Amino acid sequence: MQPPAVIAIDGPAGSGKSTLGALLARQLGYIYFDTGVMYRALTVVALQQQLDLHDAAALATLAQRTQIEVLRPTIADGRQYTVRANGQDITLELRQPVIDQHVSFVALQPAVRSELVRQQRAIGTRGQVVMVGRDIGTVVMPDAPLKIYLSASLHERARRRHAQYIHHHGDALERVVVELARRDQLDAHVLQPASDAIVINTDHLSPEEEVEYVLALWRQHATAAACPTMGIAAHPDPLE
Ligand code: DC
């Protein structure tokens, strides 16, 4: 049986996963699913309930009891999706600096991870989805037919984040560098590319170039699946 049509995109914060994922999904007519929003949603609820974010048992219970829904946008305010937790629209809370500061602690909890991975897998196995996260290629969908791991230098990632959020937060670039370095450290436990992932350094690529590259890989994959004797080259470079 063919594995479900899934493109897995992993990589550190600010590497361009969500931009690439959303563009690819639009081009292919697939669902775009940013798994990071589930960890963020749980963090919003945990803070609302004033839980201790180091209390493993409390967070495990919270993960099991919180109904997180990731939907198409319900309001036309530029959002890519609507996220509800127990029926409450929390989309605007997800990107608040306080959530950036705390989400990695929630994502560290093994019981939180196993519950959210279970829910993510249920969505992934339906297929026709571009899934973005940290452990999609290694844990959530290890059989995904195409796995991309995006990398970019700390400085370039900080520059992008700074440009993206300057109007909201007004942080200096140096502060964004420090914050991203801190998150890299906390996320290190899930920052390993799958052994069969194609690693793309995006320092000098535009989102359009990245999309073109990955679409070419996807077409190669589709051709190889239709004609199995062709296979896919070990190090394909479709832009050549
Ligand atoms: O991609 P992001 O910044 O929205 O991710 C938020 C947090 O969730 C970050 O600390 C990494 C974590 N995360 C994870 O551990 N596994 C995923 N599949 C997605 C995100």
Side-chain angles (χ1 to χ4, degrees):
M1 202 177 68
Q2 286 279 329
V6 175
I7 300 181
I9 304 178
D10 293 306
S15 56
K17 303 181 302 287
S18 45
T19 306
L20 172 63
L23 287 170
L24 271 177
R26 195 182 314 152
Q27 290 256 357
L28 292 167
Y30 283 13
I31 292 167
Y32 166 60
F33 180 29
D34 176 0
T35 57
V37 302
M38 297 186 82
Y39 292 93
R40 287 175 179 271
L42 213 55
T43 308
V44 170
V45 179
L47 291 177
Q48 282 176 348
Q49 297 187 4
Q50 301 184 335
L51 295 188
D52 172 1
L53 298 188
H54 301 281
D55 183 340
L59 287 174
T61 307
L62 187 75
Q64 277 155 14
R65 294 199 181 149
T66 307
Q67 195 204 2
I68 302 171
E69 296 168 282
V70 185
L71 311 164
R72 290 182 194 282
T74 53
I75 301 173
D77 60 359
R79 61 178 66 185
Q80 288 177 315
Y81 35 68
T82 288
V83 179
R84 289 196 194 127
N86 298 327
Q88 181 200 355
D89 185 345
I90 55 162
T91 314
L92 299 183
E93 274 92 318
L94 297 174
R95 304 281 157 193
Q96 295 292 326
V98 67
I99 304 304
D100 281 336
Q101 281 155 22
H102 292 100
V103 65
S104 298
F105 297 110
V106 174
L108 267 176
Q109 296 296 339
V112 166
R113 301 200 70 79
S114 60
E115 176 56 27
L116 295 190
V117 165
R118 188 187 65 74
Q119 297 180 21
Q120 290 160 10
R121 224 172 250 156
I123 295 168
T125 44
R126 289 187 219 142
Q128 307 239 308
V129 57
V130 179
M131 283 182 94
V132 168
R134 302 290 192 289
D135 58 349
I136 309 304
T138 47
V139 178
V140 181
M141 299 298 293
D143 295 330
L146 180 59
K147 301 177 185 176
I148 304 295
Y149 188 91
L150 293 187
S151 73
S153 66
L154 176 62
H155 195 268
E156 176 58 20
R157 291 186 285 123
R159 194 195 62 72
R160 292 175 192 165
R161 271 286 148 95
H162 185 250
Q164 194 179 1
Y165 291 120
I166 187 78
H167 304 300
H168 300 296
H169 308 151
D171 276 351
L173 178 61
E174 293 70 32
R175 258 195 61 75
V176 183
V177 172
V178 171
E179 172 59 19
L180 271 186
R182 185 188 72 90
R183 289 199 45 209
D184 282 356
Q185 246 179 3
L186 287 167
D187 292 344
H189 64 115
V190 276
L191 278 179
Q192 276 304 320
S195 56
D196 53 350
I198 292 166
V199 180
I200 304 175
N201 182 297
T202 67
D203 272 357
H204 305 291
L205 289 178
S206 67
E208 292 71 27
E209 287 170 322
E210 291 168 31
V211 170
E212 195 186 327
Y213 186 86
V214 177
L215 279 178
L217 290 171
W218 188 239
R219 280 186 218 108
Q220 271 188 7
H221 165 79
T223 312
C227 178
T229 48
M230 276 181 58
I232 295 185
H235 298 288
D237 192 348
L239 293 186
E240 269 188 352

